[in-house]
Amino acid sequence: MTVRELLYNVTKILDSRGIENASFEAREITAFCLGIKKNDLIFQQNEECADSDVKKAREFAQRRLHNEPLQYIIGEWTFCSLPFKLGEGVLIPRMETEFIVYKANDYLKDKGKRIIFDLCTGSGCIGISAAVNNPECEVYLLDISPYALSYAEKNVLLNGVKNVKILKYDIKRGYNSDILPRPDVILSNPPYIESDEIASLQPEVLKEPVSALDGGADGLDFYRILVSKWLPYINEGGMFVFESGELQPPLIKNMIKGFSSVDIEKDFFSTDRFIVGYN
């Protein structure tokens, strides 16, 4: 079977069950199983595939038909142009979340050493990306899940960052000066889906850890904690960026007092998604 035939075969399998973006996902699966870049599929389309690679690609396609997320199947995904290991029990990074890192990078430019917290870090994608782009800064990754932190540790090694510290910590406890320095930047993509809405999520999303999705009855539990137990400790001149659900930014903004500015910003799809504040 040639590369072109395998790609067609995988696409047909995914399309048979109405998988959205079947062509895109087929390219991801095929390229991964062949050990080549997606862009090289077209240049190698007439080359013969090893039987083992064909079998693996078909197995991956079948797993996708059972609503297993593509990112878990492949075991790695790109965020801010960096690779991140992923698996069950870890929230999958979304493209729109990259805005948090871009906003932090804009603030940190030419500011020298600063302390950054990535709260509810999960795979570590936000904090590690910030660390790579700001090597003079010290970045703390906090999460309560040992499983998530095991992936954060893998991703620190994968990306070769030296300015990151990982801490198993329940952010509900609030800032603790005995174990943490005062932050200049707080970044967070906390759980924000209303508890009653969890069951109605897409099957793929339900494969992700509920603890990384469930934000309580109104979806705002973690923001109350962030606002009351973390934001008061940001150093003067510091900033924060939170991601939220599309209807939540005004509610979260109204919780926040004492900052010189608090703004709501849109994601790449022009949806209100982020709350950005400067102290």
Side-chain angles (χ1 to χ4, degrees):
M1 180 177 290
T2 65
V3 170
R4 179 176 56 197
E5 290 168 339
L6 177 59
L7 178 59
Y8 174 80
N9 192 271
V10 173
T11 303
K12 188 176 180 180
I13 293 172
L14 298 181
D15 201 40
S16 69
R17 292 284 186 88
I19 298 292
E20 286 188 40
N21 302 315
S23 296
F24 167 80
E25 296 201 11
R27 289 196 299 274
E28 292 282 348
I29 290 173
T30 304
F32 180 82
C33 291
L34 295 177
I36 63 177
K37 295 180 180 179
K38 286 184 296 180
N39 292 341
D40 289 337
L41 288 171
I42 190 170
F43 300 113
Q44 300 184 30
Q45 61 179 321
N46 294 320
E47 294 188 12
E48 289 292 323
C49 303
D51 290 343
S52 58
D53 292 339
V54 172
K55 180 180 178 181
K56 186 177 181 180
R58 286 174 170 167
E59 289 175 351
F60 278 19
Q62 289 297 326
R63 288 169 62 184
R64 186 68 187 91
L65 296 187
H66 289 87
N67 298 317
E68 187 174 352
L70 174 66
Q71 295 87 345
Y72 288 173
I73 295 170
I74 292 176
E76 187 172 300
W77 204 245
T78 299
F79 182 86
C80 288
S81 301
L82 298 171
F84 288 90
K85 296 289 185 183
L86 297 173
E88 290 184 22
V90 181
L91 188 72
I92 296 169
R94 269 72 173 178
M95 183 180 69
E96 56 265 33
T97 303
E98 294 181 359
F99 175 91
I100 296 177
V101 179
Y102 299 149
K103 202 69 180 179
N105 289 346
D106 287 343
Y107 164 80
L108 291 163
K109 187 177 181 181
D110 301 324
K111 283 191 169 57
K113 182 178 180 180
R114 292 291 187 272
I115 302 296
I116 303 170
F117 288 176
D118 176 8
L119 305 181
C120 302
T121 189
S123 66
C125 62
I126 293 172
I128 292 170
S129 298
V132 169
N133 285 278
N134 303 280
E136 71 282 5
C137 292
E138 194 170 300
V139 183
Y140 289 77
L141 310 182
L142 279 65
D143 205 296
I144 194 174
S145 167
Y147 194 80
L149 291 179
S150 71
Y151 276 93
E153 290 172 355
K154 293 175 185 177
N155 290 323
V156 166
L157 293 173
L158 179 63
N159 286 284
V161 286
K162 306 297 184 182
N163 55 327
V164 169
K165 296 183 179 181
I166 298 174
L167 184 62
K168 183 178 182 293
Y169 191 83
D170 184 355
I171 73 159
K172 294 177 183 178
R173 294 168 55 190
Y175 172 76
N176 185 337
S177 61
D178 292 334
I179 58 176
L180 290 166
R182 289 190 66 162
D184 298 290
V185 176
I186 293 180
L187 310 175
S188 188
N189 178 22
Y192 57 72
I193 298 174
E194 296 177 16
S195 299
D196 289 345
E197 293 184 357
I198 298 293
S200 64
L201 295 174
Q202 292 177 318
E204 291 86 351
V205 178
L206 289 174
K207 298 287 186 178
E208 298 182 65
V210 173
S211 60
L213 301 171
D214 192 343
D218 62 358
L220 300 175
D221 283 1
F222 282 87
Y223 300 101
R224 296 186 182 94
I225 293 163
L226 291 169
V227 170
S228 64
K229 296 184 177 183
W230 291 92
L231 290 191
Y233 300 97
I234 291 182
N235 284 322
E236 184 177 353
M239 63 95 71
F240 70 87
V241 188
F242 299 155
E243 181 171 337
S244 72
E246 61 184 83
L247 300 178
Q248 296 170 335
L251 302 174
I252 299 166
K253 180 178 179 180
N254 288 339
M255 298 179 191
I256 301 168
K257 310 297 179 186
F259 278 71
S260 60
S261 68
V262 179
D263 299 309
I264 294 170
E265 301 214 26
K266 298 182 183 298
D267 63 19
F268 300 127
F269 306 104
S270 298
T271 298
D272 287 346
R273 179 74 61 189
F274 304 98
I275 305 92
V276 182
Y278 297 90
N279 201 3

